[in-house]
Amino acid sequence: MQKKILLFLLILFLPFLSNASELHFGGKIGFRSGLSFQADATLSKLAKGFPFQIRGSAAYTSLDPGKPLAARRVFINNATNGTPEETGWMWDVRLDMLYPVKWFSLKEAYFFAGPRYSWFTGRFDFVGGNEDFDIYCDSWGLGAGLESHYSISKKVDLVLSAGLDYFITDYLHGHDTTYSSDGEIVNGRENYTYDDADEAINQPTFVPNFTIGVNYFFD
């Protein structure tokens, strides 16, 4: 699925590459419900009088995956032995349209919005308890925000960005158990529901993001 999404973004960009008179690449670091790293490419000046820029991005974010004991009950069993350790992460790709705005006395600012797609994994390891399992899901989403550019040199801009993403999760899967938001359950534990799984796991839903980075312009 990841390869299909990346191929889709590449195909979507190809018609514009020959027409774009300006291409720049960027790198950002920030907070997106956890420490996040993002790489992006932006096409501008696609046609005379066309005000929008098009940006494709990919990001990795380290996240708190949820509540270990609750995750174990909902997806595995009611045992409590072992010392819980947890890690979580999210990969996502995003496509944005950027529109220049004159807000808040910012000299060069852009409002951006577009679709997102994420892959979330939460890993729970009960050391000494013989349980080590992943919970995962993938989700479509939408996002929007505002960013401001500050020139450092002719080819480099400093970029400050703030926004909010919203992801819709259809299912949560772990071990051999799946809880779906439509009520379908595969190998569910006891009488647990999707709401119980959703409460236990911190998959992305509303995700605020604040980043700082640079853009490099190619002639």
Side-chain angles (χ1 to χ4, degrees):
M1 179 63 72
Q2 292 95 326
K3 292 181 179 179
K4 291 181 180 179
I5 297 298
L6 293 174
L7 180 60
F8 168 76
L9 290 176
L10 177 61
I11 293 173
L12 190 65
F13 263 55
L14 285 177
F16 299 104
L17 284 172
S18 60
N19 296 325
S21 61
E22 191 170 278
L23 168 68
H24 61 264
F25 293 94
K28 299 179 177 68
I29 184 173
F31 176 84
R32 188 179 287 129
S33 295
L35 183 62
S36 182
F37 302 91
Q38 178 176 314
D40 52 60
T42 304
L43 300 174
S44 59
K45 299 180 181 179
L46 299 174
K48 185 176 181 180
F50 186 71
F52 294 96
Q53 299 180 14
I54 299 178
R55 177 173 64 203
S57 308
Y60 170 85
T61 305
S62 176
L63 300 171
D64 173 8
K67 305 171 184 175
L69 293 177
R72 187 176 188 177
R73 287 195 300 269
V74 174
F75 288 92
I76 307 295
N77 54 45
N78 288 320
T80 58
N81 59 318
T83 301
E85 295 181 353
E86 68 271 11
T87 56
W89 60 90
M90 174 179 72
W91 288 95
D92 69 86
V93 291
R94 53 193 57 223
L95 183 67
D96 284 304
M97 299 289 286
L98 290 81
Y99 183 77
V101 295
K102 301 294 184 182
W103 295 350
F104 313 112
S105 301
L106 297 173
K107 293 183 178 180
E108 185 179 356
Y110 298 87
F111 172 79
F112 61 87
R116 285 88 173 87
Y117 196 85
S118 74
W119 299 268
F120 165 83
T121 302
R123 176 163 295 168
F124 300 91
D125 182 11
F126 286 80
V127 179
N130 197 32
E131 290 292 356
D132 183 0
F133 59 96
D134 292 345
I135 307 297
Y136 63 85
C137 67
D138 53 288
S139 309
W140 282 102
L142 293 171
L146 180 68
E147 66 180 47
S148 183
H149 297 199
Y150 303 90
S151 179
I152 296 176
S153 68
K154 183 179 178 179
K155 291 190 174 184
V156 179
D157 277 359
L158 174 70
V159 180
L160 302 179
S161 177
L164 179 67
D165 298 330
Y166 173 66
F167 293 93
I168 301 172
T169 302
D170 292 326
Y171 73 94
L172 288 164
H173 177 83
H175 201 251
D176 60 351
T177 299
T178 302
Y179 296 92
S180 299
S181 59
D182 61 5
E184 182 180 355
I185 299 174
V186 178
N187 293 326
R189 299 296 184 261
E190 299 183 1
N191 294 317
Y192 292 119
T193 67
Y194 174 82
D195 289 339
D196 297 311
D198 182 51
E199 178 67 23
I201 305 302
N202 288 341
Q203 79 279 5
T205 304
F206 287 100
V207 182
N209 59 78
F210 305 92
T211 62
I212 182 171
V214 295
N215 285 339
Y216 181 83
F217 293 83
F218 287 84
D219 295 329

